[in-house]
Each structure stands twice: as structure tokens, then as C-alpha cells.
Amino acid sequence: MIVMKFGGTSVGSAARIHAAARIVTAARATEEVIVVVSAVGGVTDRLIMAAQQAAAREEWAAQEQVTIVQRIHSEILEELALENAGSAVADALAGLFGELRSFVQSVAVLGEVTPRTLDYIAGLGERLSSRLVAATLCVGGCPAEAVDATRFLVTDTHFGEAFPLMDATRTRATATLGPLLAAGVVPVVTGFIGATADGAPTTLGRGGSDYSAAIIGGVLDATAIIIWTDVDGVMTANPRVVSNARTLPQISYLEAAELSYFGAKVLHPKTIAPAIEAGIPVYIRNSFRPNGLGTEIGRDSPPSREPVRAITAIAQLTLLTVQGKGMIGLPGVAARVFSTVAQEQINVFMISQSSSEYNICLLIEERFGVRAAAALGQTFERERAQGLIEGIALQNGVSIVAVIGAGMRGLPTAAGRVFSLLGRENIEVLAIAQGSSELNLSFVLPTAAADHAVRSLHAEFALDVAPDGAGGSYAANQR
Ligand code: ADP
Ligand code: ASP
Ligand code: MG
């Protein structure tokens, strides 16, 4: 059995849904397939915006968003030309939109959206798209059924970024999806969402449909997980930033985890964990060019002439600095900084402490900056009053750039090349860190300089050139 996940662009129009259905139908001829779908591209953003507008008591604007989402789906449905099957799908969609509108109305009445309600609203896009995809498969002669992952993907109650409970999920997934597979039906499962043990819908975090595919593949022992997206695979850099970025034919789980964690949006950072655990290969392929080789992610990565495999970047971060001469020799300051931020459930991308110990810097998402600073202000209230800690400052508008590759292990020359290049290019570096895995070297810089840094580093390590000089054909040579 294989799991195939289709992203927002890959189900983004009637033509794309037909293309996805062709890919599934072809695979189905030789093996069992479970399909996982994202919402139609852009829909999740609109749903979240509707919830926020409703919470701000702008109900009219919120319902207008819903109307736009509704129009997007009815246009796709019409273009899909599902003939007789169309009206049942239209009914199913109408039911979901009815639910959505009443949720939006209640949020507007309360003037507040709880994380729990937000997850319900945000997760509706996948429930809509799965109906369209399943019906298209059926009409094309491939029996399929839309399945809401809320029926079997059990998570904790951390709304907005829920964590899957694998054992419960395995039991329920087997009971829910097993009979469908046995009956020759392709389950078309909603990505991104799950439900708590008592049935409250949750989401796995933005971009989480990749993670859904890996969870399902992991618990049901798939032989492969294929992520169908809108680029040829995992590339040496974001192709939207570096025009000559090259597709990596093969990378290791660890490299993929590092890449996605440091900003390669093509794969959700948590996707790799269930795949590693079950030893399942993950393939990233382009649904626009289904014959391309894509990227294979597995245990090993091919040797490479260059120590560096890829360059990534994340923007909209803030550098939070806790500063004070009084921190010298004051025991446990770093620990208190981290535990405060951890208590707020804020993810830290990077930490650096100056050797003089005058300051500790944390890199976090900009949207959490004020909350983190306030929490730290409370933690260190006494030290601040005593003048031991002078300030807690935020520097917004920064990015982290990471230089990634298994070949960097124990090779100090890569770091030398990175920093002399940045010096030559006059790129201001605000902080530096080397991942403990030694798979990456990352630094913080003003966002305005990030694209330039990524492009320069990509050129410095000649990442546009395939290691064997033959244009990205490593996997082909191995076969
Ligand atoms: P999907 O909707 O299929 O999940 P995403 O938009 O989440 O697709 O991810 C695919 C996008 O990731 C690409 O269009 C590309 O712009 C971006 N991306 C960023 N870094 C990389 C990278 N290193 N390799 C490939 N794509 C990347
Ligand atoms: N639709 C969700 C999002 O936009 C999940 C996904 O696309 O992976 O975040
Ligand atoms: Mg994605």
C-alpha cells in the first residue's frame, strides 16, 4: 500500500484534480492507494481570515470570505463535469458550508474565537476538497470514498498544532481504512486535521497535510509515501528565490528534516519522524510533471563532491535579546530564559550566548515576540529591579539562513567559506549557530538581505551543478 498526498496547488482547480485522479488511478492498477488531500490552494488562509474577522465582530466580511470559498468550490465542481454524481457532491458541500456559516455567526456573536473553534473552521478546506477528489475518482472508474481524518487520526488537545497519538491512531485507522482497502475502494483522506480522543476536531499545524500522509503511512505500514506538489522535488534552494536551483534526486531523512525545519516549505518539518520510525521512503514529486524522478528521501544520501547540499531561509522572525552585565556569573539565567519561552509553547529556532555572557539571544517567530518578551519580563522582574538585567529587546524583520549538508560534518572549511563570502558580499550577520547535528550552519540576518545571501551561497557552493555533472541524474544512475 502506498500513501499519496496532493498539496493545495495539486488540487487547486478542476484540471489539477483531474490530473491528480489520473495519477491515483494509474498507481491503483498495481497497488493499494490511500490518498491524502490538502485544501484547495488559498482556502485555508481564507477560512482563518473569516474566523478572525468574525472574532473582530466583522461578520459581514467574514461571511463574504465564506462566500468566496463557496464560489471557488462550486466553480471547480461545475468544471469537473461529474454528471450525475455532481448533485450529491453539491449537497455534501452545501451541508459543510451550512455548518461553517453557523460557526462563523457564533464566533461573531461571542466576539472571540477559541483555538478549538479556529481548528474546526480552519480544517474545513480539506473536508471540502476531499469530496471533490473522491467523486472525480469514482466518475473516472476508480472507486473512492472521502474520509474525514477526524474519524481515526487521534491527537492530543494542543489545538492549532496537535500531536498525533500513534497507537490510538493505528487502531482506528486500521478499523476505518482497512475495510475500504479490502473492498477495493481508495480512501481520500483529509490532510491537516485530526480529532481529540473525545472527538473535538484539531489541526496539525499549517502545511500539516504532509505530516498527515506520513502518520497514516507510518501506522498502516505503507511501502512508500509520495508527496505530490508543484515543484520537481526537494531543491538546492527555494526555486522562487534561486532561479537555477536544482532538484536533489536523493537525500537522507536527516537532511530532509533539517531542510524542512529551516524553511524548505516543500515538506512539513514533522513529516520525517513517522517515516524514519517505520523506515518508509518518502518521495517528493511534481504533479504537473508526473513522469519526473522527483526526490527520494531515505536512510542514506549519496556522496557529494561539495559538503553543502542546500540553502534554506525563514523570514518573519524576531531576535529576542536578554541583556545585562549582571548576568555574568549569575547561575541559571539561560535555563530560566528557556523554560519561560518553553512554558509559552514558543518554538526557538536558534540560541546564541555571547562569550562575554552579557547577553542571550533567541530566535523566534515574530508573531510571538511581544508575548515572549512580556513573559521574560515577569520571570526576571527582580533582576531587572536590581539592575542585573538591563533590557529585553526585540529586533523584528530578521531571517535565518541555513547552509545544510551531511558532508559538512567535521569540515571547518565550509564555515570559513560561508563567512568569508558574507563578508565579501557585505552581508550583516546578527547571530550565528551551528546545529548540534553538524548537518547545518545557520545565521541570522536582516530579512532585506536574505535573498541575496541565499543566492550568493548557492553560487559559492555551485549547487546548480549536479555532483556527477550530468544534471540531477544520481538516482537514475543508481537504478
Ligand atoms: P503543497 O501545497 O503542495 O504542500 P507547498 O507550497 O507547501 O506545496 O510547498 C511547495 C513550495 O515549497 C514550492 O512551490 C517552493 O516554492 C517551496 N520551497 C521552498 N524551499 C524549497 C526547496 N528547497 N525545494 C523545493 N521547494 C521549496
Ligand atoms: N491546508 C493546510 C494549510 O494550508 C494544510 C496543508 O496544505 O498542508 O496549511
Ligand atoms: Mg505544503
Side-chain angles (χ1 to χ4, degrees), residues 5 7-8 38 206-210 227 229 265-268:
K5 175 260 175 177
S38 286
R206 292 307 305 271
S209 294
D210 302 332
I227 310 281
T229 183
K265 188 187 167 211
V266 66
L267 197 63
H268 187 277

Side-chain angles (χ1 to χ4, degrees), residues 177-235:
L177 303 178
L180 290 175
L181 291 173
V185 174
V186 173
V188 180
V189 179
T190 54
F192 185 47
I193 62 175
T196 61
D198 55 10
T202 52
T203 64
L204 305 174
R206 292 307 305 271
S209 294
D210 302 332
Y211 191 25
S212 305
I215 294 166
I216 295 167
V219 297
L220 295 182
D221 253 326
T223 51
I225 297 162
I226 307 182
I227 310 281
W228 291 97
T229 183
D230 59 3
V231 285
D232 284 346
V234 177
M235 305 180 76

